[in-house]
Amino acid sequence: MTELLAVRDLIVNYHSERGIVRALDGVSLAIGKGEVVGLVGESGCGKSTLARAILGVLPVPASEVRAGAIAFGGDNLLTLASAEIARRIRGRRITFIPQDPYGSLNPLFTIGQQMLDLMHWKSPRAAAAGRSAWPAVLSRYPSARRAQDRAAILDMLGAVQIPNPEQALAKLPHELSGGQRQRIVIAMALLPQPELIIADEPTTALDVTIQAQILRLLHREVKRRQVSMLFTTHDLGTAWEICDRVVVMYAGQDVEAAPTPAFFAAPRHPYTSKLLESLPRTDGVAQDIPGEIPSLIAPPQGCRFHPRCYFATTECTITRPPVSGGAHVVRCYHPLGASTGVAA
Amino acid sequence: MDNGKGGRLKQASALWHGPGLATFALRRLVWSVATVAGVVAVTFLISHVIPADPAALVAGERATREQIEALRHQLGFDRPLLTQLADYYLRLAQGDLGKSLFTSRPISADLLSRLPATIELTLAAMILTVGLGVPIGVLSALRRNTWLDHLVRLVTVSGLAIASFWLAIILQLTFAMDLGWLPLGSRLPSGVAPPPTVTGLYLIDSLLTGDFATFGTAAAHLALPTVTLAFPAMATIVRFTRAGMLDTLNKPFVQYERAMGLPESLVVWKYMLRNALTSTVTQIGLVAGALLGGAVVIEAVFDWPGLGYYAVNSIIMSDYNAVLGFTVWVAIIYIVINIVVDVLHRLIDPRGTG
Amino acid sequence: MRSETALVLRKLAEDRLALVGLLIVLALLACAVFAPWLATFPEAVTEFNPAHRLRPPDSVYLLGTDRLGADIYSRLLFGARITIAIALVAVGVAVAVGVPLGLIAGIHDGVASNLIMRLADIFLAVPQIVLAIAIAQTLGPSLPNVILALSATFWPWFTRLVYAETRSVRNETFIEATVALGASPARVVCLHVLPNIVSPIIVRITLGLGFTILTAAALGFLGLGAPPPTPEWGRTIAESREYLPDAWWYAAAPGLAIFLVVVGFNMLGDGLRDVLDPRTRRAGRPRD
């Protein structure tokens, strides 16, 4: 599978009142064309930071990219001018599905106004139209293009199963249900015909029954269009359902990456295996991981999981383990199943 | 405003209590009329009960007892107070505010002839206030804690603390007396004929007739009073817009719009600003009140022949009737402004009042 | 309670602008109290010296002299007494009238509450200065009348504020629980409602003092304040107009004094609001 996006050794710090938060500590991750990658981890592990870094919307000046590269279609997103990213990449080649569609849709504008504004600037037709000398807020929306974009929006609303698309366009966000709002932001992520969608826990705000519906819809539409997707979640079950591959993060470090079936069959990182054990099982026994998630202001040296790890040795406390394994990558000096030498 | 007094007829009750624009308008109208009636009653009582003897005041110090009694009867001050009030209401309903105690001219006509001057001044001040105040508030929020923001804060703190009549005098001292750039006061210099009356606003009338020389002169005369009047009001608008923008800055929808790569000018000046303005617009009613009140003092300083100038002259002459008439007018204008603000609020925030 | 006060004071001390405001207000108070000792010509308020009229500022007359040869600096100091008196009494009366009315309207439902709030609405239907002018003019120019006019137009602000705060406090469950337990309404007010609304009232008083000083000065400027030769700041500015542009100091000094004092109250009020009432910092009304 050809690589669409490759994050390499990304280091991101936040400057907070209490000190420097080492949010990402040399994270690497790759997404192939048409692949759905689940980025799994507990809250605060750096999933959202990584998602924002790829989109180029890390908060300034609070955050700082110390090192690394994000390769996307021949560009390094970290060195590209931010105006360039905003114009050419963000919202066009990489789009975004937010966690909270209620807060993420502007409460004072109708769905139609917001979708049309998006299409004005981000539809594939906008790319061909070239740039105007006017500030965007004063720029005119050519009526022919507007009509085409409007038709595309209505088609898309049909595809994401919004009943009465015409009526939905005239509504304000608070007049729609939670599930409908989620369908709207999914539609908005698909409309620019992107190569990659970053979905940031897109179903957490929903009821469980609707969650499943939306996930199926998202998976179907993404696969049908062969769009790649980075799907962050703290829920392993969700990852199991829709992801081709899973990347696990712990406290700002990536610890394991593997195709979904291999991952669930035989996790190799001690943290991951504990995480799987902590899932409620049919016998009702759920095991906690002893210890607490470390502070990212003064994180442990080496592998950040070592204070909680049963297998930890001295080397774990000094330097981060290198990448090992082929398709099933693990960053651990003592990976599970290593004695047999078989990488699932 | 929620004390329903629905009539016995079900239909009327439904209209009064129901949802929708008709109900809103009806309740607003009824309430406005009641408020004006209340203002009249309060001012009327104050001006007819408190002074020891209004007739004696009007008659002057040298009047004889008989003259005063005659005047009292002529002015109707000898009738029961409630009769006088009812009579005033009756005439007010026909637009009649009585006659000036000194010039004997009808007060409504006096006020009407001075209304355009005040409208021109307050409207110009309002446009300056909002036109400059909103963008400054936005920029100040976007560049918070930079030198620009600190400068803006300094200016707004000053704006809210400066006595407008003093600012007027300092501006006159600087730009009219010292530098001689702008005229000291009045709408047009004596000898220059005002443009033919269409709206009564000299700037617009002179433009309509293509008289650019008069337009320039009128604009020069308008400049200092407008700036004086607008300065404190602008401070309020800047503060609220800035606070509204800061409130919006980290809202999820702004992050989403940015994450989707929408042009920054669109995010700021369309999406964020409208949210920020929902709180600013509630202040516009208060600001308009401040402008109306401020106009009273400012017009006196700049010899601006508007309602305020008329009111101050009436005060000096102890012309109760005229002051009362002026107060009623201001109350009506103020209520109309507040209705306009409500409509504006509904336009900016389509979610409805909630 | 004491530790709470200490906390507020400590937070206030960290806010530099509020501290400057507090200093200005204290300086104003000092000027008012010690006017006879601070003044270089303590007799200047009543004795005039026509030979020295309209002198520009120099080492003898620090801020120059006025049309009657009186020392402007000394008159300003005595004017501070008037300013303080007007502001404190007017706002005090407005609080004494407005707060109880707001409490009554907020706690009870019924005709009386409605009547109070409608009356407040009527007083708010005219810009404050216009109503104050109308009242002051009817009463005739004098210091007590100015104060009365200002109180009469300022009380509805407190009534509205207290009404709104009381309503929101009343709807909180613990008040309902207290009433359900059989506490008398008056007791509930004193013990639970008042402490909850004291902060916004203090903030409103501080900002209201500055605002009232401005309005009082405007009334004085229009000739509706205390009659001459009272060294009232607004009236002094009005007097000076005849002698402009030559006697610029005559107009400049009292105007600056007003400005400084109001800035002081406003900065202190803003600081107090940030410390006492963080909710109102956000001008936008939270919805949803």
Side-chain angles (χ1 to χ4, degrees):
Chain A
M1 200 175 271
T2 39
E3 234 171 43
L4 176 69
L5 177 103
V7 178
R8 270 188 290 275
D9 302 319
L10 187 63
I11 300 180
V12 174
N13 290 340
Y14 288 115
H15 299 274
S16 81
E17 282 172 15
R18 283 167 300 153
I20 297 173
V21 180
R22 301 176 192 281
L24 294 183
D25 181 37
V27 173
S28 299
L29 171 146
I31 301 173
K33 280 218 165 80
E35 190 185 31
V36 175
V37 175
L39 184 60
V40 181
E42 295 162 87
S43 46
C45 72
K47 307 183 294 268
S48 290
T49 303
L50 182 56
R52 286 173 171 214
I54 295 170
L55 285 162
V57 289
L58 285 169
V60 272
S63 64
E64 179 197 12
V65 177
R66 288 303 299 266
I70 301 177
F72 177 74
D75 287 313
N76 180 355
L77 296 185
L78 292 179
T79 53
L80 214 57
S82 68
E84 187 84 356
I85 296 182
R87 198 169 54 78
R88 241 183 40 188
I89 297 189
R90 200 188 308 145
R92 198 164 282 169
R93 296 175 64 194
I94 305 180
T95 61
F96 177 65
I97 301 176
Q99 201 179 108
D100 160 27
Y102 186 33
S104 297
L105 289 167
N106 197 309
L108 302 185
F109 292 84
T110 61
I111 301 297
Q113 284 171 316
Q114 299 187 52
M115 295 188 86
L116 276 168
D117 259 340
L118 176 74
M119 290 301 270
H120 183 175
W121 297 103
K122 300 297 177 186
S123 88
R125 280 176 283 277
R131 296 171 73 182
S132 137
W134 288 89
V137 70
L138 300 174
S139 158
R140 210 175 58 84
Y141 197 173
S143 56
R145 234 188 71 207
R146 189 176 188 279
Q148 289 176 318
D149 287 342
R150 194 164 188 281
I153 289 172
L154 290 173
D155 275 356
M156 184 61 77
L157 289 181
V160 297
Q161 295 160 0
I162 294 275
N164 298 321
E166 286 274 2
Q167 282 174 27
L169 287 186
K171 287 193 170 151
L172 291 166
H174 79 271
E175 294 168 323
L176 298 178
S177 71
Q180 283 177 322
R181 283 191 292 260
Q182 190 67 61
R183 290 167 201 271
I184 297 285
V185 291
I186 289 173
M188 288 171 83
L190 291 167
L191 272 168
Q193 300 178 8
E195 293 154 64
L196 174 66
I197 294 176
I198 311 275
D200 188 14
E201 305 210 29
T203 54
T204 37
L206 298 173
D207 292 341
V208 185
T209 46
I210 301 173
Q211 264 185 28
Q213 276 178 28
I214 299 275
L215 280 180
R216 273 200 298 276
L217 170 87
L218 183 59
H219 189 248
R220 189 188 68 215
E221 293 301 321
V222 164
K223 283 296 175 192
R224 189 159 80 191
R225 287 156 216 269
Q226 296 209 306
V227 187
S228 312
M229 179 160 73
L230 180 69
F231 187 101
T232 75
T233 180
H234 61 269
D235 179 23
L236 284 168
T238 307
W240 164 255
E241 275 178 53
I242 72 163
C243 298
D244 302 322
R245 212 152 54 81
V246 175
V247 178
V248 180
M249 283 186 68
Y250 176 79
Q253 296 176 332
D254 55 315
V255 294
E256 185 164 358
T260 307
F263 174 83
F264 282 95
R268 297 195 59 203
H269 196 280
Y271 168 68
T272 323
S273 96
K274 286 283 182 192
L275 199 63
L276 282 170
E277 281 172 25
S278 75
L279 284 176
R281 292 183 311 201
T282 41
D283 58 7
V285 182
Q287 281 180 304
D288 268 354
I289 306 177
E292 281 177 8
I293 300 174
S295 151
L296 295 185
I297 290 176
Q301 234 358 82
C303 172
R304 287 181 176 181
F305 187 63
H306 80 252
R308 301 170 78 183
C309 184
Y310 182 73
F311 306 97
T313 53
T314 321
E315 53 186 342
C316 301
T317 68
I318 298 166
T319 49
R320 231 190 127 189
V323 177
S324 64
H328 192 150
V329 171
V330 61
R331 299 193 70 157
C332 182
Y333 289 113
H334 316 288
L336 305 171
S339 52
T340 58
V342 178
Chain B
M1 228 175 279
D2 300 309
N3 58 330
K5 291 188 184 64
R8 262 167 289 169
L9 292 169
K10 266 186 194 163
Q11 216 175 351
S13 171
L15 189 58
W16 181 258
H17 291 287
L21 208 62
T23 298
F24 175 71
L26 177 75
R27 291 172 65 131
R28 224 23 228 261
L29 189 70
V30 170
W31 180 239
S32 302
V33 172
T35 307
V36 171
V39 171
V40 171
V42 168
T43 0
F44 191 87
L45 291 181
I46 289 170
S47 63
H48 285 69
V49 174
I50 299 172
D53 190 347
L57 246 165
V58 176
E61 284 170 14
R62 297 213 188 112
T64 64
R65 213 185 159 75
E66 287 74 36
Q67 280 174 317
I68 294 175
E69 283 310 316
L71 194 63
R72 191 192 313 284
H73 183 70
Q74 187 199 327
L75 295 173
F77 287 172
D78 54 350
R79 293 178 302 156
L81 203 64
L82 282 180
T83 320
Q84 289 183 52
L85 182 58
D87 190 44
Y88 194 87
Y89 278 142
L90 219 60
R91 284 187 288 124
L92 180 62
Q94 298 155 19
D96 179 9
L97 292 168
K99 285 180 177 157
S100 157
L101 296 179
F102 289 89
T103 63
S104 295
R105 285 162 48 81
I107 291 166
S108 297
D110 272 358
L111 289 174
L112 200 62
S113 71
R114 285 162 176 82
L115 185 62
T118 298
I119 290 185
E120 183 163 47
L121 176 57
T122 43
L123 208 59
M126 194 52 136
I127 291 169
L128 188 65
T129 300
V130 175
L132 267 180
V134 168
I136 291 177
V138 170
L139 289 179
S140 181
L142 291 181
R143 314 242 159 101
R144 66 193 176 290
N145 296 328
T146 63
W147 63 268
L148 179 84
D149 188 28
H150 294 309
L151 183 72
V152 167
R153 183 173 311 152
L154 200 71
V155 174
T156 55
V157 166
S158 313
L160 292 173
I162 211 160
S164 61
F165 57 90
W166 184 66
L167 176 64
I169 290 173
I170 296 299
L171 289 179
Q172 281 181 331
L173 203 57
T174 315
F175 293 99
M177 296 178 184
D178 199 35
L179 297 170
W181 292 351
L182 291 166
L184 199 55
S186 81
R187 290 181 86 184
L188 282 175
S190 53
V192 174
T197 306
V198 183
T199 58
L201 312 185
Y202 287 0
L203 283 190
I204 293 178
D205 288 352
S206 58
L207 274 187
L208 286 178
T209 50
D211 184 353
F212 296 109
T214 308
F215 177 83
T217 319
H221 281 75
L222 191 58
L224 285 186
T226 304
V227 169
T228 313
L229 196 54
F231 189 52
M234 195 149 53
T236 308
I237 294 295
V238 168
R239 281 186 141 204
F240 269 83
T241 309
R242 179 180 182 275
M245 284 299 279
L246 286 182
D247 237 19
T248 325
L249 219 50
N250 291 317
K251 284 275 161 71
F253 62 79
V254 176
Q255 293 177 0
Y256 175 60
E257 284 152 9
R258 292 213 167 109
M260 287 300 269
L262 287 178
E264 188 63 14
S265 71
L266 198 70
V267 173
V268 171
W269 296 101
K270 180 171 178 179
Y271 285 117
M272 288 175 69
L273 184 58
R274 183 153 171 189
N275 279 272
L277 284 183
T278 53
S279 65
T280 305
V281 82
T282 58
Q283 292 301 305
I284 287 181
L286 284 178
V287 163
L291 290 181
L292 269 178
V296 176
V297 185
I298 303 291
E299 287 183 1
V301 180
F302 285 103
D303 290 330
W304 191 263
L307 296 179
Y309 188 76
Y310 178 76
V312 170
N313 272 334
S314 308
I315 290 167
I316 294 168
M317 316 240 286
S318 292
D319 192 339
Y320 297 114
N321 260 357
V323 175
L324 182 56
F326 165 75
T327 313
V328 171
W329 266 49
V330 171
I332 294 172
I333 295 173
Y334 196 32
I335 284 170
V336 170
I337 290 172
N338 275 307
I339 292 175
V340 172
V341 168
D342 265 15
V343 172
L344 261 179
H345 193 268
R346 280 176 170 241
L347 282 180
I348 288 181
D349 187 349
R351 286 170 300 184
T353 50
Chain C
M1 208 59 193
R2 173 164 297 174
S3 67
E4 231 172 83
T5 317
L7 183 73
V8 165
L9 288 178
R10 207 175 59 231
K11 273 199 196 160
L12 206 57
E14 284 167 13
D15 185 345
R16 240 181 299 163
L17 285 180
L19 218 54
V20 173
L22 184 66
L23 282 181
I24 294 175
V25 170
L26 289 179
L28 172 75
L29 283 175
C31 285
V33 172
F34 300 112
W37 293 277
L38 290 171
T40 45
F41 295 86
E43 72 291 347
V45 182
T46 48
E47 288 174 27
F48 303 112
N49 189 354
H52 288 193
R53 70 196 292 263
L54 300 177
R55 290 258 179 111
D58 58 27
S59 55
V60 181
Y61 299 110
L62 296 175
L63 295 174
T65 64
D66 66 7
R67 59 180 179 164
L68 298 170
D71 179 44
I72 290 178
Y73 166 69
S74 303
R75 280 177 64 86
L76 279 187
L77 287 177
F78 282 96
R81 293 185 157 187
I82 300 172
T83 302
I84 284 279
I86 293 179
L88 285 183
V89 179
V91 175
V93 172
V95 170
V97 174
V99 170
L101 286 180
L103 275 175
I104 293 169
I107 286 172
H108 297 285
D109 296 298
V111 184
S113 305
N114 260 319
L115 218 60
I116 291 171
M117 293 320 293
R118 293 298 92 89
L119 195 64
D121 283 346
I122 287 171
F123 273 86
L124 293 172
V126 186
Q128 195 206 359
I129 186 150
V130 172
L131 201 56
I133 285 172
I135 295 174
Q137 182 263 348
T138 317
L139 300 175
S142 82
L143 199 57
N145 289 349
V146 168
I147 293 175
L148 199 65
L150 291 170
S151 315
T153 51
F154 203 41
W155 68 268
W157 294 94
F158 287 100
T159 306
R160 264 219 183 150
L161 173 75
V162 172
Y163 174 79
E165 293 286 336
T166 311
R167 284 276 147 147
S168 71
V169 169
R170 198 182 72 161
N171 292 337
E172 281 167 27
T173 37
F174 80 94
I175 299 275
E176 280 169 20
T178 326
V179 174
L181 286 174
S184 79
R187 200 181 144 78
V188 173
V189 170
C190 293
L191 286 181
H192 299 289
V193 178
L194 262 182
N196 269 302
I197 59 177
V198 134
S199 294
I201 294 177
I202 288 177
V203 172
R204 171 64 85 171
I205 287 176
T206 316
L207 295 172
L209 284 170
F211 187 68
T212 304
I213 289 171
L214 276 182
T215 315
L219 291 180
F221 178 77
L222 293 176
L224 290 168
T230 327
E232 202 269 321
W233 293 349
R235 177 179 289 280
T236 308
I237 295 175
E239 283 169 9
S240 76
R241 291 190 66 202
E242 269 181 67
Y243 307 98
L244 295 177
D246 306 313
W248 54 269
W249 61 89
Y250 197 168
L256 277 177
I258 296 171
F259 175 69
L260 257 181
V261 169
V262 179
V263 163
F265 276 112
N266 285 356
M267 292 206 292
L268 182 59
D270 282 347
L272 278 173
R273 170 164 49 196
D274 289 353
V275 175
L276 290 174
D277 201 12
R279 271 180 309 141
T280 51
R281 286 174 77 179
R282 297 175 300 140
R285 285 180 299 168
R287 288 167 176 275
D288 307 329

